[in-house]
Amino acid sequence: MCIRDSRDGKLTCWPLASDVLYYDHIAVERGTMPVKGSRNLELAELDVAHNGDGADVDLQLTALLNRARSFMTLGKWADAVDDYVKIWKVKSDAPRRIWAMQDLAELLVQLGAYDDAAVIARELSADGRYPDIAALLMARARMGQGRHREALELLRRVDNPHNAIGFSTGTTTTIEARMIAAANCGELDEAAACCIQLFASHGVIPGRGRLLLKLWGDRSAGDLADLLVEDGSAHVPAMMTEFESLGASAAAVLQALQARTGSPSAPSGRQGASVGSPSLFFGKP
């Protein structure tokens, strides 16, 4: 629990027993994340000051992880990397360390530090507790390094990765990464199958119609429509909207979809879900 001194604005915090206080997180009002992030960072700084170098490893990891995630909320990527690396260097098999390493590898990929991300992903793989997310993170690092065949082999083994606290990273993330890796390896049938799966099973459609047509090539528009309708009837309106936006290049597929669903045209408005130096920090993988 923390109390702010009205005279100097300083926060004083102390722990409460788990049976003293109940709390639940309902929601964060839109537009308040910077304020929430700043507040959380202030609290995290106090926690690190109390526990960041303490003998209790769990408290140390928790304090550093909370501060790293607060830095992430505020877009302070280098500061977040610094704290995640401190956690990584702690000799512990605690779940919070693994969680921090998963966050770190993801952040390094987003920052383009693919060699560094591969270092962390390799250690996650060796740990063995979360093989799917370790493989996904390594695959994304390999894609960034231009090692697309290795990435594709890894992604073929990934199903639905979850991180160390049980959150799913999203099946669509894996499918889309596999689609890109397959296309870069010249495995166009596999890439097309992934794209169809994104359309039909997950409704990940806007902006991807032209890509699907390119991957499908000169094969039958009717066959493509059959595959799209087979598992994706709920997403047909969004598919039709996407193909209508492409004009003549998608006319055959659009006509085939209309014939199979009895839909004369798509409703107005787009529908469907939206998806997103090699070594910057600490060395080669």
Side-chain angles (χ1 to χ4, degrees):
M1 182 172 69
C2 297
I3 293 179
R4 186 184 299 276
D5 191 320
S6 61
R7 294 167 297 180
D8 56 16
K10 291 184 178 179
L11 285 172
T12 302
C13 301
W14 60 92
L16 288 176
S18 60
D19 59 348
V20 172
L21 181 66
Y22 169 81
Y23 64 92
D24 193 8
H25 179 250
I26 306 301
V28 177
E29 184 178 351
R30 184 181 298 275
T32 63
M33 284 303 290
V35 175
K36 179 177 183 291
S38 297
R39 183 196 66 206
N40 287 352
L41 179 58
E42 188 175 359
L43 294 172
E45 294 281 16
L46 285 171
D47 197 12
V48 170
H50 282 92
N51 300 302
D53 296 314
D56 189 315
V57 171
D58 188 58
L59 290 177
Q60 179 188 12
L61 295 178
T62 299
L64 289 169
L65 179 58
N66 287 340
R67 189 170 69 176
R69 294 180 67 82
S70 296
F71 282 137
M72 292 281 287
T73 300
L74 296 171
K76 297 183 176 182
W77 315 125
D79 290 327
V81 168
D82 286 346
D83 274 351
Y84 282 133
V85 170
K86 289 175 184 175
I87 297 170
W88 172 52
K89 290 181 177 179
V90 173
K91 302 303 181 184
S92 170
D93 63 354
R96 286 187 183 276
R97 178 175 178 269
I98 300 301
W99 179 17
M101 290 170 61
Q102 292 166 350
D103 278 0
L104 174 58
E106 172 68 26
L107 176 56
L108 291 171
V109 166
Q110 293 178 9
L111 293 174
Y114 303 115
D115 292 351
D116 297 331
V119 171
I120 303 301
R122 179 178 290 111
E123 188 170 333
L124 288 169
S125 180
D127 174 79
R129 278 177 280 182
Y130 304 93
D132 272 5
I133 195 169
L136 174 60
L137 291 167
M138 179 60 86
R140 295 182 63 195
R142 293 305 188 216
M143 289 172 68
Q145 294 171 319
R147 296 161 67 171
H148 300 291
R149 178 59 63 179
E150 291 178 55
L152 181 58
E153 294 300 327
L154 287 164
L155 290 164
R156 284 170 173 167
R157 304 198 300 265
V158 176
D159 182 19
N160 185 20
H162 290 73
N163 70 7
I165 58 169
F167 288 165
S168 171
T169 61
T171 303
T172 57
T173 300
T174 303
I175 298 170
E176 188 151 40
R178 182 175 174 181
M179 175 185 71
I180 294 168
N184 283 324
C185 291
E187 303 285 355
L188 299 186
D189 287 349
E190 183 173 351
C194 290
C195 197
I196 290 169
Q197 188 178 1
L198 289 172
F199 269 58
S201 300
H202 301 284
V204 180
I205 297 167
R208 290 165 176 78
R210 197 176 303 280
L211 172 62
L212 177 56
L213 294 178
K214 185 175 180 63
L215 292 171
W216 189 251
D218 59 0
R219 286 172 283 191
S220 164
D223 289 346
L224 176 56
D226 287 338
L227 292 170
L228 291 171
V229 172
E230 182 178 351
D231 295 319
S233 58
H235 305 299
V236 166
M239 295 180 203
M240 294 176 66
T241 297
E242 176 70 13
F243 289 128
E244 277 190 338
S245 72
L246 301 178
S249 64
V253 176
L254 180 61
Q255 184 177 9
L257 279 174
Q258 291 169 341
R260 283 154 178 76
T261 61
S263 303
S265 62
S268 60
R270 298 179 68 82
Q271 301 180 28
S274 296
V275 177
S277 90
S279 179
L280 301 180
F281 297 97
F282 48 83
K284 294 286 289 181

Short mmCIF file of all heavy atoms in Angstrom, two decimals, residues 250-273:
data_model
loop_
_atom_site.label_atom_id
_atom_site.label_comp_id
_atom_site.label_asym_id
_atom_site.label_seq_id
_atom_site.Cartn_x
_atom_site.Cartn_y
_atom_site.Cartn_z
N ALA A 250 -9.73 -8.97 -58.94
CA ALA A 250 -10.36 -9.93 -58.04
C ALA A 250 -11.78 -10.29 -58.49
O ALA A 250 -12.50 -10.94 -57.75
CB ALA A 250 -10.39 -9.37 -56.62
N ALA A 251 -12.16 -9.87 -59.68
CA ALA A 251 -13.54 -10.04 -60.12
C ALA A 251 -13.95 -11.51 -60.17
O ALA A 251 -15.07 -11.88 -59.77
CB ALA A 251 -13.73 -9.40 -61.49
N ALA A 252 -13.06 -12.38 -60.63
CA ALA A 252 -13.40 -13.81 -60.76
C ALA A 252 -13.64 -14.44 -59.40
O ALA A 252 -14.60 -15.22 -59.21
CB ALA A 252 -12.30 -14.55 -61.51
N VAL A 253 -12.79 -14.12 -58.42
CA VAL A 253 -12.96 -14.68 -57.07
C VAL A 253 -14.23 -14.12 -56.43
O VAL A 253 -14.99 -14.84 -55.79
CB VAL A 253 -11.73 -14.37 -56.20
CG1 VAL A 253 -11.96 -14.87 -54.77
CG2 VAL A 253 -10.49 -15.01 -56.78
N LEU A 254 -14.47 -12.83 -56.62
CA LEU A 254 -15.67 -12.22 -56.06
C LEU A 254 -16.93 -12.86 -56.64
O LEU A 254 -17.87 -13.19 -55.92
CB LEU A 254 -15.67 -10.72 -56.35
CG LEU A 254 -16.86 -9.92 -55.82
CD1 LEU A 254 -16.96 -10.01 -54.30
CD2 LEU A 254 -16.74 -8.45 -56.24
N GLN A 255 -16.94 -13.07 -57.94
CA GLN A 255 -18.10 -13.70 -58.59
C GLN A 255 -18.29 -15.13 -58.07
O GLN A 255 -19.43 -15.56 -57.81
CB GLN A 255 -17.90 -13.72 -60.11
CG GLN A 255 -19.09 -14.28 -60.88
CD GLN A 255 -18.89 -14.20 -62.39
OE1 GLN A 255 -17.80 -13.89 -62.86
NE2 GLN A 255 -19.93 -14.48 -63.14
N ALA A 256 -17.20 -15.86 -57.88
CA ALA A 256 -17.29 -17.22 -57.37
C ALA A 256 -17.83 -17.24 -55.95
O ALA A 256 -18.63 -18.11 -55.58
CB ALA A 256 -15.92 -17.89 -57.43
N LEU A 257 -17.40 -16.30 -55.12
CA LEU A 257 -17.92 -16.21 -53.76
C LEU A 257 -19.41 -15.90 -53.76
O LEU A 257 -20.19 -16.49 -53.00
CB LEU A 257 -17.18 -15.12 -52.98
CG LEU A 257 -15.82 -15.48 -52.39
CD1 LEU A 257 -15.17 -14.24 -51.78
CD2 LEU A 257 -15.96 -16.56 -51.33
N GLN A 258 -19.82 -14.97 -54.62
CA GLN A 258 -21.24 -14.62 -54.71
C GLN A 258 -22.07 -15.82 -55.13
O GLN A 258 -23.15 -16.07 -54.58
CB GLN A 258 -21.42 -13.46 -55.69
CG GLN A 258 -20.85 -12.14 -55.20
CD GLN A 258 -20.81 -11.08 -56.28
OE1 GLN A 258 -20.88 -11.38 -57.47
NE2 GLN A 258 -20.67 -9.82 -55.88
N ALA A 259 -21.55 -16.60 -56.08
CA ALA A 259 -22.28 -17.77 -56.56
C ALA A 259 -22.44 -18.83 -55.47
O ALA A 259 -23.47 -19.50 -55.39
CB ALA A 259 -21.56 -18.37 -57.77
N ARG A 260 -21.44 -18.96 -54.61
CA ARG A 260 -21.47 -20.00 -53.60
C ARG A 260 -22.23 -19.60 -52.35
O ARG A 260 -22.62 -20.46 -51.56
CB ARG A 260 -20.03 -20.41 -53.23
CG ARG A 260 -19.40 -21.31 -54.30
CD ARG A 260 -17.89 -21.20 -54.33
NE ARG A 260 -17.32 -22.11 -55.33
CZ ARG A 260 -17.36 -21.87 -56.63
NH1 ARG A 260 -17.93 -20.76 -57.10
NH2 ARG A 260 -16.84 -22.73 -57.48
N THR A 261 -22.42 -18.31 -52.15
CA THR A 261 -23.10 -17.85 -50.94
C THR A 261 -24.44 -17.19 -51.20
O THR A 261 -25.16 -16.88 -50.25
CB THR A 261 -22.20 -16.85 -50.19
OG1 THR A 261 -21.96 -15.71 -51.02
CG2 THR A 261 -20.88 -17.50 -49.81
N GLY A 262 -24.74 -16.93 -52.45
CA GLY A 262 -25.99 -16.25 -52.77
C GLY A 262 -25.98 -14.80 -52.38
O GLY A 262 -27.04 -14.18 -52.23
N SER A 263 -24.80 -14.22 -52.21
CA SER A 263 -24.68 -12.82 -51.83
C SER A 263 -24.41 -11.98 -53.06
O SER A 263 -23.38 -12.17 -53.72
CB SER A 263 -23.54 -12.63 -50.82
OG SER A 263 -23.74 -13.45 -49.69
N PRO A 264 -25.28 -11.02 -53.38
CA PRO A 264 -25.08 -10.21 -54.57
C PRO A 264 -23.90 -9.26 -54.47
O PRO A 264 -23.24 -8.96 -55.44
CB PRO A 264 -26.39 -9.43 -54.71
CG PRO A 264 -26.94 -9.39 -53.31
CD PRO A 264 -26.53 -10.68 -52.67
N SER A 265 -23.63 -8.76 -53.27
CA SER A 265 -22.51 -7.84 -53.09
C SER A 265 -22.20 -7.75 -51.61
O SER A 265 -22.98 -8.17 -50.77
CB SER A 265 -22.84 -6.44 -53.63
OG SER A 265 -23.93 -5.88 -52.92
N ALA A 266 -21.06 -7.16 -51.31
CA ALA A 266 -20.66 -7.02 -49.92
C ALA A 266 -21.27 -5.77 -49.32
O ALA A 266 -21.52 -4.79 -50.01
CB ALA A 266 -19.13 -6.94 -49.84
N PRO A 267 -21.55 -5.77 -48.00
CA PRO A 267 -22.03 -4.56 -47.35
C PRO A 267 -20.93 -3.51 -47.33
O PRO A 267 -19.75 -3.83 -47.45
CB PRO A 267 -22.36 -5.04 -45.93
CG PRO A 267 -21.49 -6.22 -45.71
CD PRO A 267 -21.37 -6.88 -47.06
N SER A 268 -21.34 -2.25 -47.16
CA SER A 268 -20.35 -1.18 -47.13
C SER A 268 -19.56 -1.26 -45.84
O SER A 268 -20.03 -1.73 -44.82
CB SER A 268 -21.05 0.19 -47.21
OG SER A 268 -21.93 0.35 -46.11
N GLY A 269 -18.31 -0.75 -45.91
CA GLY A 269 -17.44 -0.76 -44.72
C GLY A 269 -16.59 -2.00 -44.66
O GLY A 269 -17.02 -3.08 -45.01
N ARG A 270 -15.37 -1.85 -44.20
CA ARG A 270 -14.45 -2.97 -44.12
C ARG A 270 -14.66 -3.70 -42.81
O ARG A 270 -14.94 -3.10 -41.79
CB ARG A 270 -13.00 -2.47 -44.22
CG ARG A 270 -12.73 -1.79 -45.55
CD ARG A 270 -11.31 -1.29 -45.59
NE ARG A 270 -10.35 -2.38 -45.62
CZ ARG A 270 -10.01 -3.04 -46.72
NH1 ARG A 270 -10.58 -2.73 -47.88
NH2 ARG A 270 -9.12 -3.99 -46.70
N GLN A 271 -14.54 -5.03 -42.88
CA GLN A 271 -14.68 -5.83 -41.69
C GLN A 271 -13.48 -6.73 -41.56
O GLN A 271 -12.67 -6.86 -42.46
CB GLN A 271 -15.96 -6.70 -41.77
CG GLN A 271 -17.23 -5.89 -41.93
CD GLN A 271 -18.44 -6.79 -41.99
OE1 GLN A 271 -18.45 -7.88 -41.44
NE2 GLN A 271 -19.46 -6.34 -42.67
N GLY A 272 -13.39 -7.40 -40.42
CA GLY A 272 -12.32 -8.36 -40.20
C GLY A 272 -11.28 -7.83 -39.24
O GLY A 272 -11.25 -6.65 -38.91
N ALA A 273 -10.41 -8.71 -38.80
CA ALA A 273 -9.42 -8.37 -37.81
C ALA A 273 -8.16 -7.81 -38.44
O ALA A 273 -7.84 -8.11 -39.57
CB ALA A 273 -9.08 -9.61 -36.98
#
